[in-house]
PDB file of all heavy atoms in Angstrom:
ATOM      1  N   GLY X1184       9.859 -16.027  10.353  1.00 93.00           N
ATOM      2  CA  GLY X1184       9.922 -14.671   9.836  1.00 93.00           C
ATOM      3  C   GLY X1184       9.021 -14.494   8.627  1.00 93.00           C
ATOM      4  O   GLY X1184       8.522 -15.458   8.048  1.00 93.00           O
ATOM      5  N   LEU X1185       8.803 -13.229   8.262  1.00 93.00           N
ATOM      6  CA  LEU X1185       7.973 -12.865   7.120  1.00 93.00           C
ATOM      7  C   LEU X1185       8.742 -11.922   6.212  1.00 93.00           C
ATOM      8  O   LEU X1185       9.502 -11.071   6.683  1.00 93.00           O
ATOM      9  CB  LEU X1185       6.690 -12.162   7.575  1.00 93.00           C
ATOM     10  CG  LEU X1185       5.775 -12.867   8.574  1.00 93.00           C
ATOM     11  CD1 LEU X1185       4.555 -11.987   8.849  1.00 93.00           C
ATOM     12  CD2 LEU X1185       5.351 -14.215   8.055  1.00 93.00           C
ATOM     13  N   MET X1186       8.507 -12.051   4.902  1.00 91.00           N
ATOM     14  CA  MET X1186       9.079 -11.132   3.927  1.00 91.00           C
ATOM     15  C   MET X1186       7.959 -10.330   3.281  1.00 91.00           C
ATOM     16  O   MET X1186       6.988 -10.901   2.777  1.00 91.00           O
ATOM     17  CB  MET X1186       9.836 -11.893   2.837  1.00 91.00           C
ATOM     18  CG  MET X1186      11.006 -12.711   3.316  1.00 91.00           C
ATOM     19  SD  MET X1186      11.883 -13.439   1.904  1.00 91.00           S
ATOM     20  CE  MET X1186      12.986 -14.581   2.739  1.00 91.00           C
ATOM     21  N   ALA X1187       8.099  -9.013   3.289  1.00 90.00           N
ATOM     22  CA  ALA X1187       7.102  -8.162   2.644  1.00 90.00           C
ATOM     23  C   ALA X1187       7.121  -8.402   1.136  1.00 90.00           C
ATOM     24  O   ALA X1187       8.184  -8.606   0.541  1.00 90.00           O
ATOM     25  CB  ALA X1187       7.385  -6.698   2.946  1.00 90.00           C
ATOM     26  N   GLY X1188       5.934  -8.365   0.519  1.00 78.00           N
ATOM     27  CA  GLY X1188       5.832  -8.624  -0.912  1.00 78.00           C
ATOM     28  C   GLY X1188       5.431  -7.411  -1.722  1.00 78.00           C
ATOM     29  O   GLY X1188       5.519  -6.263  -1.273  1.00 78.00           O
ATOM     30  N   GLU X1189       4.953  -7.675  -2.930  1.00 82.00           N
ATOM     31  CA  GLU X1189       4.586  -6.599  -3.844  1.00 82.00           C
ATOM     32  C   GLU X1189       3.412  -5.780  -3.334  1.00 82.00           C
ATOM     33  O   GLU X1189       3.199  -4.656  -3.779  1.00 82.00           O
ATOM     34  CB  GLU X1189       4.246  -7.182  -5.218  1.00 82.00           C
ATOM     35  CG  GLU X1189       5.456  -7.717  -5.969  1.00 82.00           C
ATOM     36  CD  GLU X1189       6.495  -6.636  -6.232  1.00 82.00           C
ATOM     37  OE1 GLU X1189       6.128  -5.562  -6.750  1.00 82.00           O
ATOM     38  OE2 GLU X1189       7.671  -6.869  -5.906  1.00 82.00           O
ATOM     39  N   SER X1190       2.631  -6.322  -2.402  1.00 81.00           N
ATOM     40  CA  SER X1190       1.475  -5.589  -1.897  1.00 81.00           C
ATOM     41  C   SER X1190       1.872  -4.407  -1.015  1.00 81.00           C
ATOM     42  O   SER X1190       1.018  -3.617  -0.623  1.00 81.00           O
ATOM     43  CB  SER X1190       0.538  -6.520  -1.118  1.00 81.00           C
ATOM     44  OG  SER X1190       1.218  -7.116  -0.045  1.00 81.00           O
ATOM     45  N   VAL X1191       3.172  -4.270  -0.699  1.00 90.00           N
ATOM     46  CA  VAL X1191       3.619  -3.072   0.024  1.00 90.00           C
ATOM     47  C   VAL X1191       4.214  -2.069  -0.957  1.00 90.00           C
ATOM     48  O   VAL X1191       4.935  -1.156  -0.555  1.00 90.00           O
ATOM     49  CB  VAL X1191       4.623  -3.404   1.147  1.00 90.00           C
ATOM     50  CG1 VAL X1191       4.006  -4.360   2.143  1.00 90.00           C
ATOM     51  CG2 VAL X1191       5.937  -3.947   0.590  1.00 90.00           C
ATOM     52  N   ARG X1192       3.893  -2.253  -2.239  1.00 89.00           N
ATOM     53  CA  ARG X1192       4.355  -1.332  -3.277  1.00 89.00           C
ATOM     54  C   ARG X1192       3.161  -0.775  -4.050  1.00 89.00           C
ATOM     55  O   ARG X1192       2.090  -1.374  -4.089  1.00 89.00           O
ATOM     56  CB  ARG X1192       5.334  -2.024  -4.234  1.00 89.00           C
ATOM     57  CG  ARG X1192       6.626  -2.427  -3.545  1.00 89.00           C
ATOM     58  CD  ARG X1192       7.655  -2.986  -4.501  1.00 89.00           C
ATOM     59  NE  ARG X1192       8.917  -3.241  -3.791  1.00 89.00           N
ATOM     60  CZ  ARG X1192       9.860  -2.340  -3.627  1.00 89.00           C
ATOM     61  NH1 ARG X1192       9.710  -1.125  -4.145  1.00 89.00           N
ATOM     62  NH2 ARG X1192      10.963  -2.621  -2.960  1.00 89.00           N
ATOM     63  N   THR X1193       3.371   0.368  -4.671  1.00 89.00           N
ATOM     64  CA  THR X1193       2.327   0.984  -5.487  1.00 89.00           C
ATOM     65  C   THR X1193       2.257   0.267  -6.829  1.00 89.00           C
ATOM     66  O   THR X1193       3.101  -0.590  -7.146  1.00 89.00           O
ATOM     67  CB  THR X1193       2.631   2.466  -5.725  1.00 89.00           C
ATOM     68  OG1 THR X1193       3.815   2.575  -6.551  1.00 89.00           O
ATOM     69  CG2 THR X1193       2.881   3.193  -4.402  1.00 89.00           C
ATOM     70  N   ILE X1194       1.271   0.627  -7.645  1.00 85.00           N
ATOM     71  CA  ILE X1194       1.129  -0.016  -8.953  1.00 85.00           C
ATOM     72  C   ILE X1194       2.306   0.302  -9.871  1.00 85.00           C
ATOM     73  O   ILE X1194       2.539  -0.402 -10.860  1.00 85.00           O
ATOM     74  CB  ILE X1194      -0.199   0.392  -9.634  1.00 85.00           C
ATOM     75  CG1 ILE X1194      -0.257   1.914  -9.796  1.00 85.00           C
ATOM     76  CG2 ILE X1194      -1.389  -0.119  -8.849  1.00 85.00           C
ATOM     77  CD1 ILE X1194      -1.473   2.371 -10.589  1.00 85.00           C
ATOM     78  N   THR X1195       3.052   1.347  -9.560  1.00 86.00           N
ATOM     79  CA  THR X1195       4.237   1.682 -10.355  1.00 86.00           C
ATOM     80  C   THR X1195       5.496   1.005  -9.825  1.00 86.00           C
ATOM     81  O   THR X1195       6.581   1.185 -10.372  1.00 86.00           O
ATOM     82  CB  THR X1195       4.458   3.207 -10.382  1.00 86.00           C
ATOM     83  OG1 THR X1195       4.673   3.683  -9.042  1.00 86.00           O
ATOM     84  CG2 THR X1195       3.251   3.911 -10.987  1.00 86.00           C
ATOM     85  N   GLY X1196       5.358   0.227  -8.735  1.00 84.00           N
ATOM     86  CA  GLY X1196       6.492  -0.503  -8.196  1.00 84.00           C
ATOM     87  C   GLY X1196       7.249   0.209  -7.101  1.00 84.00           C
ATOM     88  O   GLY X1196       8.195  -0.344  -6.530  1.00 84.00           O
ATOM     89  N   ARG X1197       6.859   1.426  -6.779  1.00 88.00           N
ATOM     90  CA  ARG X1197       7.540   2.162  -5.717  1.00 88.00           C
ATOM     91  C   ARG X1197       7.095   1.657  -4.345  1.00 88.00           C
ATOM     92  O   ARG X1197       5.958   1.219  -4.173  1.00 88.00           O
ATOM     93  CB  ARG X1197       7.267   3.659  -5.838  1.00 88.00           C
ATOM     94  CG  ARG X1197       7.817   4.286  -7.103  1.00 88.00           C
ATOM     95  CD  ARG X1197       7.475   5.763  -7.167  1.00 88.00           C
ATOM     96  NE  ARG X1197       8.113   6.498  -6.089  1.00 88.00           N
ATOM     97  CZ  ARG X1197       9.355   6.956  -6.114  1.00 88.00           C
ATOM     98  NH1 ARG X1197      10.102   6.735  -7.172  1.00 88.00           N
ATOM     99  NH2 ARG X1197       9.862   7.623  -5.089  1.00 88.00           N
ATOM    100  N   LEU X1198       7.998   1.730  -3.390  1.00 90.00           N
ATOM    101  CA  LEU X1198       7.675   1.284  -2.043  1.00 90.00           C
ATOM    102  C   LEU X1198       6.595   2.182  -1.450  1.00 90.00           C
ATOM    103  O   LEU X1198       6.704   3.407  -1.471  1.00 90.00           O
ATOM    104  CB  LEU X1198       8.926   1.330  -1.168  1.00 90.00           C
ATOM    105  CG  LEU X1198       8.816   0.679   0.215  1.00 90.00           C
ATOM    106  CD1 LEU X1198       8.655  -0.829   0.082  1.00 90.00           C
ATOM    107  CD2 LEU X1198      10.069   1.001   1.046  1.00 90.00           C
ATOM    108  N   ASP X1199       5.545   1.555  -0.933  1.00 93.00           N
ATOM    109  CA  ASP X1199       4.458   2.278  -0.276  1.00 93.00           C
ATOM    110  C   ASP X1199       4.765   2.298   1.219  1.00 93.00           C
ATOM    111  O   ASP X1199       4.634   1.281   1.901  1.00 93.00           O
ATOM    112  CB  ASP X1199       3.130   1.570  -0.548  1.00 93.00           C
ATOM    113  CG  ASP X1199       1.922   2.334  -0.015  1.00 93.00           C
ATOM    114  OD1 ASP X1199       2.015   2.890   1.101  1.00 93.00           O
ATOM    115  OD2 ASP X1199       0.882   2.349  -0.697  1.00 93.00           O
ATOM    116  N   SER X1200       5.188   3.446   1.719  1.00 94.00           N
ATOM    117  CA  SER X1200       5.653   3.519   3.099  1.00 94.00           C
ATOM    118  C   SER X1200       4.571   3.140   4.098  1.00 94.00           C
ATOM    119  O   SER X1200       4.852   2.485   5.112  1.00 94.00           O
ATOM    120  CB  SER X1200       6.189   4.921   3.411  1.00 94.00           C
ATOM    121  OG  SER X1200       5.205   5.899   3.185  1.00 94.00           O
ATOM    122  N   TRP X1201       3.310   3.516   3.824  1.00 95.00           N
ATOM    123  CA  TRP X1201       2.233   3.193   4.758  1.00 95.00           C
ATOM    124  C   TRP X1201       1.965   1.686   4.790  1.00 95.00           C
ATOM    125  O   TRP X1201       1.797   1.095   5.862  1.00 95.00           O
ATOM    126  CB  TRP X1201       0.958   3.946   4.401  1.00 95.00           C
ATOM    127  CG  TRP X1201      -0.205   3.572   5.278  1.00 95.00           C
ATOM    128  CD1 TRP X1201      -1.327   2.874   4.922  1.00 95.00           C
ATOM    129  CD2 TRP X1201      -0.351   3.846   6.678  1.00 95.00           C
ATOM    130  NE1 TRP X1201      -2.144   2.687   6.004  1.00 95.00           N
ATOM    131  CE2 TRP X1201      -1.575   3.283   7.097  1.00 95.00           C
ATOM    132  CE3 TRP X1201       0.449   4.511   7.611  1.00 95.00           C
ATOM    133  CZ2 TRP X1201      -2.023   3.369   8.413  1.00 95.00           C
ATOM    134  CZ3 TRP X1201      -0.001   4.600   8.919  1.00 95.00           C
ATOM    135  CH2 TRP X1201      -1.224   4.031   9.309  1.00 95.00           C
ATOM    136  N   GLN X1202       1.932   1.061   3.612  1.00 94.00           N
ATOM    137  CA  GLN X1202       1.699  -0.383   3.555  1.00 94.00           C
ATOM    138  C   GLN X1202       2.844  -1.138   4.227  1.00 94.00           C
ATOM    139  O   GLN X1202       2.615  -2.137   4.920  1.00 94.00           O
ATOM    140  CB  GLN X1202       1.543  -0.832   2.100  1.00 94.00           C
ATOM    141  CG  GLN X1202       0.254  -0.392   1.433  1.00 94.00           C
ATOM    142  CD  GLN X1202      -0.972  -0.999   2.092  1.00 94.00           C
ATOM    143  OE1 GLN X1202      -1.012  -2.194   2.365  1.00 94.00           O
ATOM    144  NE2 GLN X1202      -1.975  -0.168   2.337  1.00 94.00           N
ATOM    145  N   LEU X1203       4.069  -0.675   4.036  1.00 95.00           N
ATOM    146  CA  LEU X1203       5.206  -1.319   4.695  1.00 95.00           C
ATOM    147  C   LEU X1203       5.090  -1.173   6.209  1.00 95.00           C
ATOM    148  O   LEU X1203       5.294  -2.141   6.952  1.00 95.00           O
ATOM    149  CB  LEU X1203       6.514  -0.709   4.209  1.00 95.00           C
ATOM    150  CG  LEU X1203       7.778  -1.268   4.879  1.00 95.00           C
ATOM    151  CD1 LEU X1203       7.936  -2.754   4.584  1.00 95.00           C
ATOM    152  CD2 LEU X1203       9.019  -0.488   4.424  1.00 95.00           C
ATOM    153  N   PHE X1204       4.755   0.028   6.664  1.00 96.00           N
ATOM    154  CA  PHE X1204       4.582   0.254   8.098  1.00 96.00           C
ATOM    155  C   PHE X1204       3.512  -0.669   8.663  1.00 96.00           C
ATOM    156  O   PHE X1204       3.701  -1.289   9.721  1.00 96.00           O
ATOM    157  CB  PHE X1204       4.215   1.715   8.356  1.00 96.00           C
ATOM    158  CG  PHE X1204       3.875   2.014   9.785  1.00 96.00           C
ATOM    159  CD1 PHE X1204       4.869   2.208  10.733  1.00 96.00           C
ATOM    160  CD2 PHE X1204       2.549   2.086  10.210  1.00 96.00           C
ATOM    161  CE1 PHE X1204       4.558   2.470  12.064  1.00 96.00           C
ATOM    162  CE2 PHE X1204       2.226   2.341  11.529  1.00 96.00           C
ATOM    163  CZ  PHE X1204       3.233   2.538  12.465  1.00 96.00           C
ATOM    164  N   GLU X1205       2.373  -0.775   7.960  1.00 95.00           N
ATOM    165  CA  GLU X1205       1.279  -1.634   8.414  1.00 95.00           C
ATOM    166  C   GLU X1205       1.703  -3.099   8.453  1.00 95.00           C
ATOM    167  O   GLU X1205       1.366  -3.833   9.387  1.00 95.00           O
ATOM    168  CB  GLU X1205       0.068  -1.455   7.499  1.00 95.00           C
ATOM    169  CG  GLU X1205      -0.687  -0.165   7.713  1.00 95.00           C
ATOM    170  CD  GLU X1205      -1.510  -0.215   8.991  1.00 95.00           C
ATOM    171  OE1 GLU X1205      -2.581  -0.850   8.974  1.00 95.00           O
ATOM    172  OE2 GLU X1205      -1.066   0.363  10.004  1.00 95.00           O
ATOM    173  N   PHE X1206       2.433  -3.541   7.437  1.00 95.00           N
ATOM    174  CA  PHE X1206       2.912  -4.915   7.386  1.00 95.00           C
ATOM    175  C   PHE X1206       3.794  -5.219   8.596  1.00 95.00           C
ATOM    176  O   PHE X1206       3.611  -6.227   9.290  1.00 95.00           O
ATOM    177  CB  PHE X1206       3.694  -5.159   6.095  1.00 95.00           C
ATOM    178  CG  PHE X1206       4.535  -6.401   6.109  1.00 95.00           C
ATOM    179  CD1 PHE X1206       3.963  -7.648   5.915  1.00 95.00           C
ATOM    180  CD2 PHE X1206       5.902  -6.321   6.331  1.00 95.00           C
ATOM    181  CE1 PHE X1206       4.738  -8.799   5.939  1.00 95.00           C
ATOM    182  CE2 PHE X1206       6.686  -7.468   6.362  1.00 95.00           C
ATOM    183  CZ  PHE X1206       6.102  -8.706   6.165  1.00 95.00           C
ATOM    184  N   LEU X1207       4.744  -4.348   8.866  1.00 95.00           N
ATOM    185  CA  LEU X1207       5.674  -4.575   9.975  1.00 95.00           C
ATOM    186  C   LEU X1207       4.965  -4.501  11.323  1.00 95.00           C
ATOM    187  O   LEU X1207       5.188  -5.337  12.201  1.00 95.00           O
ATOM    188  CB  LEU X1207       6.809  -3.552   9.905  1.00 95.00           C
ATOM    189  CG  LEU X1207       7.730  -3.682   8.684  1.00 95.00           C
ATOM    190  CD1 LEU X1207       8.656  -2.476   8.590  1.00 95.00           C
ATOM    191  CD2 LEU X1207       8.526  -4.967   8.732  1.00 95.00           C
ATOM    192  N   LYS X1208       4.101  -3.512  11.483  1.00 95.00           N
ATOM    193  CA  LYS X1208       3.403  -3.343  12.751  1.00 95.00           C
ATOM    194  C   LYS X1208       2.446  -4.499  13.035  1.00 95.00           C
ATOM    195  O   LYS X1208       2.429  -5.057  14.144  1.00 95.00           O
ATOM    196  CB  LYS X1208       2.634  -2.026  12.770  1.00 95.00           C
ATOM    197  CG  LYS X1208       1.900  -1.745  14.099  1.00 95.00           C
ATOM    198  CD  LYS X1208       1.152  -0.439  14.066  1.00 95.00           C
ATOM    199  CE  LYS X1208       0.547  -0.122  15.443  1.00 95.00           C
ATOM    200  NZ  LYS X1208      -0.357  -1.183  15.920  1.00 95.00           N
ATOM    201  N   LYS X1209       1.628  -4.869  12.049  1.00 94.00           N
ATOM    202  CA  LYS X1209       0.657  -5.941  12.257  1.00 94.00           C
ATOM    203  C   LYS X1209       1.355  -7.282  12.487  1.00 94.00           C
ATOM    204  O   LYS X1209       0.891  -8.099  13.293  1.00 94.00           O
ATOM    205  CB  LYS X1209      -0.295  -6.026  11.073  1.00 94.00           C
ATOM    206  CG  LYS X1209      -1.284  -4.864  11.003  1.00 94.00           C
ATOM    207  CD  LYS X1209      -2.283  -5.059   9.874  1.00 94.00           C
ATOM    208  CE  LYS X1209      -3.327  -3.954   9.878  1.00 94.00           C
ATOM    209  NZ  LYS X1209      -4.341  -4.141   8.808  1.00 94.00           N
TER     210      LYS X1209
END
């Protein structure tokens, strides 16, 4: 399994929905 990291968040720490979607899909 994989755990999403800080790179799926914006510079302010909020969850970046597009980056999370890309992480899960890829």
Side-chain angles (χ1 to χ4, degrees):
L1185 304 181
M1186 299 185 190
E1189 289 300 309
S1190 58
V1191 301
R1192 294 186 175 273
T1193 67
I1194 58 174
T1195 61
R1197 296 179 64 84
L1198 190 67
D1199 186 320
S1200 58
W1201 176 249
Q1202 289 296 314
L1203 178 63
F1204 174 80
E1205 285 286 282
F1206 164 78
L1207 294 170
K1208 182 180 185 302
K1209 288 185 176 182

